[in-house]
């Protein structure tokens, strides 16, 4: 069993607003002017493919490192390019940016809306799955606990003050409360790293110990090595030994995944997608494309899914025989009070107050 540091320590690491192609890495390096992403990718993929032919991977007691075939330590080991586990896949920049606007109902407040990355480059990602993992697959919006080590193409370790070697708690996207800083915010990974987790599973027997640390069966945790173009990584915001526009290597171990209700409306985020997508393997776009109220905020981040002024959580509630307030499941037939559409997705279906109680119109 491998013991990791306290969850409380993890949760106090970062209080950040989500920005395109950003994570919580920091090294004090200034941003440089953005370059054309296609031009940068062309340079990056050339460097990556050259690297794969001229370097080899060292696996020793669970520790991964890399070295050049020109090194004095090289003894005709297979290069990374010759490793039978090496695969590649084409990927898009699946990042979304949160931006603020004045609240139309209260100018003293701001609201958050989301925009997809404008980057249209198709990125080739090389990767090696070292261990598929024996737990479960994570979704693109799960909160995850990941052990993360990065290297430059010069085989230098990339130190990060915000990403401890022993693991960190990551989440995407940040909730409204996290964006406002009213609750602690988890760390955020680069989009290229996050997307590669689709190929591995969590560890078995992971859990929180009485002392607040996380334990897990290390031999069952999914682990992947990915060679990441900067367009899916830090791009123009280098840190530590990684400079702007440089590709890098990510060594990722997926320990655990936790489903979330991002907007705390009573509906798990995995159910706030189009009906035909529920139960399928979801992409990040599946979550962001369902915006019933067409207000620029997807349902899984919107406290009022249909935009009728009545919060979704209230539209789900009812009183049991003892007068206790409870909430229906998102797909409960009782929610189809006005039409065949659940009332929390029907902006025309509004309750009215009778003797202090919400009353819903019937069909």
């Amino acid at each position: 069993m491998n013991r990791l540091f306290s969850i409380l320590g993890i949760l106090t690491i970062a209080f950040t607003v989500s920005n395109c192609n950003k994570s919580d890495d920091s090294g004090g390096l200034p941003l440089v002017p953005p370059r054309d992403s296609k031009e940068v990718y062309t340079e990056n993929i050339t460097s990556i493919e050259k690297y794969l032919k001229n370097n080899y991977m060292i696996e020793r007691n669970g520790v991964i490192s890399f070295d050049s075939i020109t090194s004095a330590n090289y003894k005709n080991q297979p290069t990374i390019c010759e490793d039978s586990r090496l695969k590649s896949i084409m990927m898009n920049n699946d990042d979304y940016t949160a931006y603020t606007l004045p609240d139309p109902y209260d100018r003293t407040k701001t609201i958050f809306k989301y925009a997809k990355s404008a980057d249209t480059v198709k990125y080739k990602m090389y990767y090696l799955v070292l261990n598929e993992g024996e737990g479960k697959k994570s979704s693109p919006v799960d909160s995850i606990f990941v052990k993360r080590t990065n290297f430059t193409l010069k085989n230098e370790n990339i130190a990060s003050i915000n990403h401890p070697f022993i693991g960190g708690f990551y989440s995407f996207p940040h909730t409204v409360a996290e964006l406002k800083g009213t609750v602690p915010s988890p760390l955020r990974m680069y989009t290229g790293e996050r997307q590669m987790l689709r190929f591995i599973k969590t560890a078995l027997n992971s859990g929180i110990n009485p002392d607040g640390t996380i334990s897990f069966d290390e031999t069952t945790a999914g682990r992947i090595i990915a060679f990441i173009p900067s367009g899916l990584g830090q791009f123009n915001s280098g840190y530590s030994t990684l400079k702007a526009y440089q590709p890098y290597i990510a060594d990722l171990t997926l320990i655990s995944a936790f489903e979330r209700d991002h907007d705390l409306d009573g509906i798990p985020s995995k159910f706030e997608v189009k009906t035909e997508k529920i139960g399928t393997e979801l992409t990040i776009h599946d979550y962001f494309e369902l915006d019933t109220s067409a207000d620029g905020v997807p349902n899984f981040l919107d406290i009022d899914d249909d935009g009728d002024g009545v919060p979704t959580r209230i539209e789900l509630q009812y009183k049991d025989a003892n007068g206790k307030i409870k909430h229906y499941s998102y797909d409960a037939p009782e929610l189809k009070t006005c039409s065949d559409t659940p009332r929390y997705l029907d902006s025309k279906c509004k309750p009215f107050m009778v003797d202090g109680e919400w009353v819903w119109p019937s069909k």
Side-chain angles (χ1 to χ4, degrees), residues 126-159:
Y126 287 94
Y127 66 96
L128 302 95
V129 174
L130 305 187
N131 188 359
E132 184 180 351
E134 299 181 29
K136 65 178 183 179
K137 287 281 188 77
S138 62
S139 88
V141 299
D142 281 349
S143 292
I144 51 178
F145 200 93
V146 174
K147 189 175 178 181
R148 172 183 184 264
T149 305
N150 291 346
F151 303 86
T152 68
L153 296 194
K154 293 182 179 180
N155 298 325
E156 302 166 316
N157 185 270
I158 305 171

Side-chain angles (χ1 to χ4, degrees), residues 58-309:
I58 304 164
E59 302 176 66
R60 186 176 295 126
N61 298 323
V63 177
I64 298 295
S65 60
F66 303 88
D67 204 355
S68 169
I69 60 174
T70 61
S71 166
N73 298 318
Y74 181 60
K75 305 298 181 184
N76 294 317
Q77 296 95 326
T79 64
I80 301 171
C81 194
E82 295 169 336
D83 193 317
S84 61
R85 297 170 294 181
L86 183 66
K87 296 180 180 179
S88 66
I89 188 172
M90 300 304 295
M91 285 188 169
N92 299 318
N93 189 331
D94 280 357
D95 223 345
Y96 283 80
T97 302
Y99 61 96
T100 59
L101 291 173
D103 188 329
Y105 301 105
D106 185 347
R107 291 291 174 176
T108 66
K109 298 180 180 179
T110 58
I111 58 176
F112 289 91
K113 296 197 175 186
Y114 301 82
K116 185 182 181 301
S117 169
D119 184 4
T120 59
V121 173
K122 300 288 185 182
Y123 292 90
K124 188 173 188 178
M125 293 273 285
Y126 287 94
Y127 66 96
L128 302 95
V129 174
L130 305 187
N131 188 359
E132 184 180 351
E134 299 181 29
K136 65 178 183 179
K137 287 281 188 77
S138 62
S139 88
V141 299
D142 281 349
S143 292
I144 51 178
F145 200 93
V146 174
K147 189 175 178 181
R148 172 183 184 264
T149 305
N150 291 346
F151 303 86
T152 68
L153 296 194
K154 293 182 179 180
N155 298 325
E156 302 166 316
N157 185 270
I158 305 171
S160 172
I161 61 174
N162 287 328
H163 296 267
F165 172 75
I166 52 176
F169 182 66
Y170 298 86
S171 190
F172 176 80
H174 287 327
T175 65
V176 171
E178 291 166 353
L179 290 170
K180 290 181 176 179
T182 56
V183 298
S185 177
L187 298 171
R188 186 177 177 203
M189 302 177 77
Y190 293 123
T191 180
E193 297 171 355
R194 193 177 68 247
Q195 290 188 66
M196 296 311 294
L197 297 178
R198 74 174 73 171
F199 298 111
I200 56 177
K201 299 176 183 177
T202 60
L204 297 176
N205 305 318
S206 64
I208 302 176
N209 299 311
D211 62 359
T213 60
I214 283 186
S215 62
F216 68 100
D217 184 345
E218 191 164 9
T219 63
T220 66
R223 188 174 186 180
I224 190 169
I225 305 295
F227 301 86
I228 300 182
S230 63
L232 298 183
Q234 86 290 358
F235 200 56
N236 65 324
S237 60
Y239 68 100
S240 182
T241 52
L242 181 65
K243 304 300 188 291
Y245 305 121
Q246 290 182 348
Y248 67 98
I249 306 164
D251 175 3
L252 307 170
T253 300
L254 179 59
I255 296 166
S256 57
F258 310 92
E259 294 179 352
R260 300 191 72 184
D261 175 5
H262 283 76
D263 50 13
L264 300 178
D265 64 358
I267 305 175
S269 295
K270 67 179 181 180
F271 297 127
E272 298 212 64
V273 296
K274 290 182 178 179
T275 303
E276 63 270 19
K277 296 290 184 68
I278 293 176
T280 66
E281 186 170 342
L282 299 170
T283 69
I284 191 67
H285 303 304
D286 291 328
Y287 291 94
F288 276 93
E289 75 175 350
L290 182 61
D291 179 9
T292 300
S293 57
D295 61 356
V297 183
N299 283 19
F300 81 108
L301 294 169
D302 196 338
I303 63 172
D304 180 8
D305 289 336
D306 57 6
D308 62 358

